[in-house]
Amino acid sequence: MDTIPPELKVSAQVFPLTNDNTPEFVMVASEASTIIYSGGCQSQTAEAVAGENRITLNRLADGKYSQCKLQLKDPTGHLSSVVSLTSFQVDTASPKLKLLADIANFTNTSTPSIRFSSNEPGSIRYLDECSSSSDEAVAGENTITLNALGDGQYGQCRITVTDAAGNVSTLQTAAFVVDTILPTLRWIAKIPSATQDTTPSFTFNVSEASKIIYSGSCSSEVTEAVVGDNEITLKELADGEYSDCTIRLSDTAGNQSPAYSVALYDSFRVDTTAPTLSLTKEITSHVNASTPSFSFNSTEDLKINYAGSCSSAALTAVAGDNEIVLNELSDGSYTDCELKVRDSVGNTATLSLGSFTVDTVAPSLSVTSSIPSAGNDATPSFIINVSEASNIVYSGACSSSASVVQAGENEITLSELSDGTYGDCAIQLTDAAGNQSDSLAFESFLVDTTAPALNLTTAIPSYVNDSTPHLIFTSTEAGTISYEGACSSASNSVSVGANEITLNSLSDGPYTDCRLKVIDAVGNVGTLLLGSFTVDTVAPSLSLTTAIPTSGNDVTPSFVFTSSEAGQVSYSGACSSGTSSASVGE
């Protein structure tokens, strides 16, 4: 009879964590027995043999198992003690991996990164050409930086994550290219320092297709560069200076070249505006230089061409003021002279020099009629013949309101002069071009506008019995005499001082209109009135009307006589009287 219960011992437990959903354990039975399972675990193995038994549990769902128990029942019905299996977990699910950020198809880093998520931690293993120092994945987000790769093309990189239970998941990247070399640019033609093109172009050559990144004030519709030559036309630009226009090339991997200036000298100027020109000093309408000059102002530096009859050795101009000396010109009129200029980008402008006459010949003059050596005209005149219209410059004591003469004969009247002698008077002509004639000096001349001063010092008596009466007068200057009225004389000249004049024979009678004129050497006339006088050469006729008695006792005897005219009475002999005048009649 068997009274001893069987003994049960688990010699090899189920792994605490397993990805086998039919895990195994090993138990040792002291005798053949029936196995009783409980706590959620079962097995197809129902009978245990004495000794070691490898038991495979029936398929278990993933999860934790901590209640699994075993008991043996021998054929006699005795039960062993209950033995618990140690807790274990069944995990047959591979880690769930999700690629969050793949390696770009083209990357410019030799250590590209992969970002993925895992629902559980695990160990990482790398396949293919990729590797990394990261060998553990965490639950959640993971960033893996690959070890350095050489430039080149890479197929798919595989990464496995193995969880603690040994479940494996694989993550696979897309094929990619590692390119760490910057795109290079070889210039063929840059934008010149100045251009009148508002959409200027430049050309360069690249070894790989790239994006064009514009910066500064310039841009273009072209944003992609192809392998080989690329001509880029900029969008329209306003006139002005551009010093910040650069491009960078960015290849497919994102490598960016340095910034390149699109201008030949790092800056360029767009200039579509013609230069502005203004004459600051014109050639005068008449110029006496065969190489006349002018000045003009320009808004920019220029190259100069000449049109028309003029030229110059000056072929460039600067911004600001410029003086140009023309090449030698013959005397004559010029109406077609022009300055044609071109700025550095080809904008043109024209400046007319106007109309002018080159005259290097001085005017000539000759005297046709000179000022008399003496005259009584305080504004004497002279006539000159001149070769061309000119201004007159007077010197010395003479002047005139006539400041301009025309070609040919011109009569000039001097401004009023005081009486006196003039020996320093001269004129000089200046033509419109400024040429000056030789100075022409006048012969010395006298201006005398004063009439001789006459003074009657001995007049003709109011009654004179001389038919050729005489008079005496003084004159301040010599001259000739003319007579007016009823009187005349053989004397026709006077001298300075006293002059005695005997009149030609006069008939008896009264004279009231006699005068004489003294005309000096220059024609000034002095007049002298001779007063009123009567010429009477006939004696009075007397007749005794009542004589004195031959005897008488009157000591003052009287007599009566008649007279044909009044007169003074004079007595002779022994008689006299207080009566000294007689009247006509008794």
Side-chain angles (χ1 to χ4, degrees), residues 441-520:
F442 294 117
E443 295 286 341
S444 177
F445 64 91
L446 170 69
V447 174
D448 178 7
T449 61
T450 304
L454 307 179
N455 183 37
L456 189 62
T457 56
T458 301
I460 299 172
S462 57
Y463 286 89
V464 61
N465 63 355
D466 187 353
S467 62
T468 58
H470 67 275
L471 60 107
I472 299 173
F473 71 93
T474 61
S475 175
T476 55
E477 54 186 310
T480 60
I481 302 175
S482 67
Y483 299 89
E484 294 181 349
C487 301
S488 64
S489 174
S491 299
N492 57 13
S493 65
V494 299
S495 59
V496 177
N499 296 269
E500 184 174 356
I501 301 296
T502 299
L503 297 179
N504 292 332
S505 180
L506 297 171
S507 301
D508 281 11
Y511 291 87
T512 60
D513 63 348
C514 289
R515 59 182 177 270
L516 63 82
K517 292 183 176 180
V518 175
I519 305 167
D520 66 13

Side-chain angles (χ1 to χ4, degrees), residues 69-120:
K69 296 181 177 58
L70 301 172
Q71 193 175 28
L72 294 179
K73 182 179 179 182
D74 63 13
T76 60
H78 295 107
L79 293 172
S80 69
S81 57
V82 176
V83 175
S84 294
L85 294 178
T86 57
S87 294
F88 66 90
Q89 181 178 351
V90 175
D91 178 8
T92 62
S94 297
K96 293 181 179 179
L97 306 179
K98 183 179 181 181
L99 189 61
L100 301 177
D102 200 353
I103 299 171
N105 291 342
F106 287 85
T107 178
N108 61 1
T109 175
S110 60
T111 57
S113 295
I114 304 166
R115 187 162 55 87
F116 67 93
S117 64
S118 175
N119 65 333
E120 58 183 317

Side-chain angles (χ1 to χ4, degrees), residues 35-191:
I35 306 172
I36 301 170
Y37 298 92
S38 63
C41 295
Q42 296 294 327
S43 176
Q44 295 297 322
T45 303
E47 297 295 332
V49 297
E52 189 173 81
N53 294 267
R54 182 174 294 275
I55 306 299
T56 299
L57 295 177
N58 291 340
R59 183 177 296 275
L60 297 171
D62 281 10
K64 286 187 178 182
Y65 293 88
S66 59
Q67 302 296 323
C68 291
K69 296 181 177 58
L70 301 172
Q71 193 175 28
L72 294 179
K73 182 179 179 182
D74 63 13
T76 60
H78 295 107
L79 293 172
S80 69
S81 57
V82 176
V83 175
S84 294
L85 294 178
T86 57
S87 294
F88 66 90
Q89 181 178 351
V90 175
D91 178 8
T92 62
S94 297
K96 293 181 179 179
L97 306 179
K98 183 179 181 181
L99 189 61
L100 301 177
D102 200 353
I103 299 171
N105 291 342
F106 287 85
T107 178
N108 61 1
T109 175
S110 60
T111 57
S113 295
I114 304 166
R115 187 162 55 87
F116 67 93
S117 64
S118 175
N119 65 333
E120 58 183 317
S123 59
I124 302 173
R125 188 165 66 93
Y126 300 90
L127 305 174
D128 305 315
E129 298 178 80
C130 301
S131 64
S132 174
S133 59
S134 299
D135 55 8
E136 294 292 336
V138 298
E141 189 173 300
N142 295 266
T143 299
I144 303 299
T145 300
L146 298 181
N147 293 331
L149 298 170
D151 278 18
Q153 187 167 351
Y154 292 86
Q156 298 171 339
C157 282
R158 290 176 295 164
I159 300 172
T160 64
V161 176
T162 302
D163 63 15
N167 299 301
V168 178
S169 287
T170 301
L171 192 67
Q172 185 170 284
T173 70
F176 61 92
V177 174
V178 174
D179 177 6
T180 61
I181 299 173
L182 303 184
T184 58
L185 176 151
R186 178 172 59 84
W187 284 105
I188 296 174
K190 285 190 171 187
I191 298 174

Side-chain angles (χ1 to χ4, degrees), residues 287-353:
V287 60
N288 63 359
S290 60
T291 57
S293 65
F294 63 95
S295 296
F296 72 96
N297 184 280
S298 171
T299 53
E300 53 187 309
D301 293 350
L302 303 170
K303 290 185 178 179
I304 305 175
N305 289 315
Y306 298 87
S309 306
C310 300
S311 64
S312 174
L315 301 178
T316 60
V318 298
D321 290 334
N322 298 268
E323 182 174 9
I324 304 295
V325 177
L326 295 179
N327 292 333
E328 188 168 6
L329 297 171
S330 302
D331 278 19
S333 295
Y334 294 86
T335 59
D336 62 347
C337 291
E338 289 183 332
L339 202 66
K340 292 187 177 292
V341 301
R342 179 170 55 86
D343 64 16
S344 59
V345 297
N347 297 306
T348 60
T350 300
L351 181 66
S352 172
L353 302 187

Side-chain angles (χ1 to χ4, degrees), residues 195-198 237-240 269-275 343 345 347:
T195 177
Q196 63 181 155
D197 187 355
T198 58
L237 298 171
D239 279 17
R269 176 170 50 87
V270 174
D271 179 6
T272 62
T273 304
D343 64 16
V345 297
N347 297 306

